[in-house]
């Protein structure tokens, strides 16, 4: 499906590419407008659930604008700072000079060898992400790769964590994307997916539908000058598998200990699984 239309796989890939090429420059503004800024909280929860430690190698797929990557870097840097403070507190007998040298040495490795690779199929989305990174001052531990979630350009068992946030519903073959996620993760690695899902509360579901179909395309036209792309995005959410079905698909790809956490009554859900 492309939204509510039935198309071939090749047509779907091309249409989705065009959607994100069209919305890339207004993507962040539209996310804030559509969710009233709540998407920022969802992404914060997502990274806290990941709970990465210094040294983690993360692959963030469909992460072109960098939202998850930047949060990951901030989180790891914060953990490293906490470790450094605890270390210095234990060195009470050192001279000021020794403490200063120790601090400077450790501070040079503020990410503890952590790395995040942002992989996205869309050049425009990557371009927006790179510009944001330059503007916000992110460079260390960050790289950008053009690639397809269904055929990742990485070796087997390379990454500690694989994330995909608001991207998997735009993948044509979700089963292939999940197989690729499994392939590139190290044994013990973790898969995490943040995605719009299905609302359990009937009253909220009705209100959510009204807002989605009556308001979001209008916002798309007013802010981004693009009604059709945001109409597709709304329709794509309704065509996406519900929580239990996606959980089963993740398990079919080989992951263990698969579970999910609903946020805001299932407007979005975080699915998690491990490669054992």
């Amino acid at each position: 499906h492309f939204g509510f239309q039935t198309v071939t796989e090749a047509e779907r890939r091309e249409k989705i590419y065009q959607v994100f090429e069209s919305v890339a420059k207004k993507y962040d503004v539209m996310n804030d407008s559509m969710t009233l800024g709540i998407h920022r909280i969802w992404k914060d929860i997502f990274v806290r659930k990941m709970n990465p430690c210094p040294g983690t190698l993360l692959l963030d797929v469909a992460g072109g604008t960098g939202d998850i990557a930047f949060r990951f870097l901030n989180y790891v840097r914060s953990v490293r700072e906490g470790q450094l403070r605890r270390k210095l507190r234990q060195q009470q007998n050192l001279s000021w000079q020794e403490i200063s040298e120790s601090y400077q040495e450790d501070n040079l490795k503020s990410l503890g060898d952590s790395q995040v690779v942002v992989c996205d199929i869309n050049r425009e989305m990557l371009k927006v992400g790179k510009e944001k990174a330059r503007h916000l001052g992110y460079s260390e531990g960050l790289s950008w790769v053009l690639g397809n979630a269904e055929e990742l350009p990485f070796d087997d068992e390379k990454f500690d964590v694989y994330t995909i946030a608001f991207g998997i519903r735009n993948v044509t073959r979700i089963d292939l994307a999940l197989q690729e996620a499994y392939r590139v993760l190290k044994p013990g690695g973790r898969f995490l997916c943040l995605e719009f899902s299905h609302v359990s509360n009937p009253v909220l579901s009705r209100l959510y539908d009204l807002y989605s179909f009556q308001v979001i395309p209008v916002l798309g036209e007013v802010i981004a000058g693009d009604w059709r792309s945001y109409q597709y995005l709304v329709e794509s959410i309704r065509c996406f598998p519900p929580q239990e079905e996606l959980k089963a698909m993740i398990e079919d790809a080989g992951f263990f200990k698969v579970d999910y956490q609903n946020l805001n009554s299932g407007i979005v859900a975080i699915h998690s699984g491990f490669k054992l």
Side-chain angles (χ1 to χ4, degrees):
H1 294 279
F2 176 76
F4 292 158
Q5 302 175 45
T6 300
V7 296
T8 67
E9 286 188 5
E11 287 174 332
R12 186 179 193 274
R13 287 190 180 95
E14 179 60 26
K15 285 177 177 291
I16 289 174
Y17 190 93
Q18 290 172 356
V19 164
F20 284 93
E21 191 172 48
S22 171
V23 305
K25 291 181 180 178
K26 295 289 186 179
Y27 188 77
D28 290 333
V29 175
M30 277 300 299
N31 278 347
D32 282 333
S33 300
M34 289 188 301
T35 69
L36 306 178
I38 298 173
H39 75 101
R40 297 172 182 268
I41 298 172
W42 295 335
K43 291 168 183 172
D44 288 342
I45 294 170
F46 186 58
V47 173
R48 286 202 300 271
K49 189 174 182 70
M50 185 198 317
N51 191 25
C53 59
T56 297
L57 183 56
L58 167 66
L59 174 62
D60 183 37
V61 176
T65 59
D67 278 4
I68 301 303
F70 303 153
R71 282 171 169 79
F72 167 81
L73 294 174
N74 290 342
Y75 191 98
V76 171
R77 191 169 284 117
S78 176
V79 171
R80 281 287 294 164
E81 288 171 356
Q83 290 175 343
L84 179 56
R85 284 194 295 270
R86 288 192 294 274
K87 179 181 175 180
L88 292 177
R89 280 200 296 268
Q90 294 169 0
Q91 297 176 332
Q92 297 295 327
N93 296 326
L94 295 181
S95 68
W96 171 84
Q97 185 176 359
E98 289 172 323
I99 291 175
S100 178
E101 289 173 354
S102 176
Y103 179 84
Q104 289 174 12
E105 180 182 343
D106 287 338
N107 206 38
L108 289 174
K109 297 182 178 180
S110 63
L111 294 173
D113 297 322
S114 296
Q115 294 278 332
V116 53
V117 178
V118 179
C119 180
D120 202 295
I121 197 172
N122 193 285
R123 291 182 187 275
E124 283 299 312
M125 294 291 281
L126 285 173
K127 182 180 176 182
V128 169
K130 290 177 182 179
E131 289 174 353
K132 279 176 62 181
R134 282 193 294 269
H135 176 70
L136 297 171
Y138 292 100
S139 57
E140 181 191 1
L142 176 63
S143 57
W144 308 84
V145 174
L146 185 69
N148 186 344
E150 299 170 40
E151 194 174 353
L152 293 170
F154 305 109
D155 294 336
D156 296 354
E157 300 183 355
K158 181 177 178 64
F159 297 96
D160 300 303
V161 182
Y162 172 112
T163 55
I164 184 165
F166 301 117
I168 201 165
R169 77 179 188 283
N170 298 308
V171 172
T172 299
R173 290 283 304 277
I174 295 175
D175 58 334
L176 293 182
L178 292 172
Q179 289 169 24
E180 281 291 272
Y182 188 88
R183 179 183 68 80
V184 301
L185 278 171
K186 299 174 184 178
R190 189 176 191 184
F191 168 87
L192 283 163
C193 172
L194 173 65
E195 188 53 87
F196 288 106
S197 201
H198 289 246
V199 179
S200 55
N201 184 298
V203 176
L204 180 58
S205 179
R206 177 60 179 161
L207 293 172
Y208 181 46
D209 280 347
L210 286 171
Y211 176 77
S212 297
F213 287 100
Q214 302 300 321
V215 177
I216 289 178
V218 176
L219 287 174
E221 180 64 29
V222 171
I223 296 173
D226 192 341
W227 178 292
R228 287 187 177 183
S229 292
Y230 287 94
Q231 181 71 27
Y232 155 72
L233 291 174
V234 170
E235 292 176 0
S236 70
I237 294 169
R238 299 311 184 276
C239 295
F240 189 69
Q243 289 89 325
E244 284 291 335
E245 187 176 334
L246 180 59
K247 178 185 176 185
M249 294 174 73
I250 296 168
E251 290 171 336
D252 288 344
F255 290 99
F256 289 87
K257 292 181 65 64
V258 180
D259 62 12
Y260 61 87
Q261 175 186 356
N262 283 329
L263 304 178
N264 295 100
S265 299
I267 290 178
V268 299
I270 299 173
H271 280 75
S272 170
F274 293 86
K275 178 178 179 177
L276 301 180

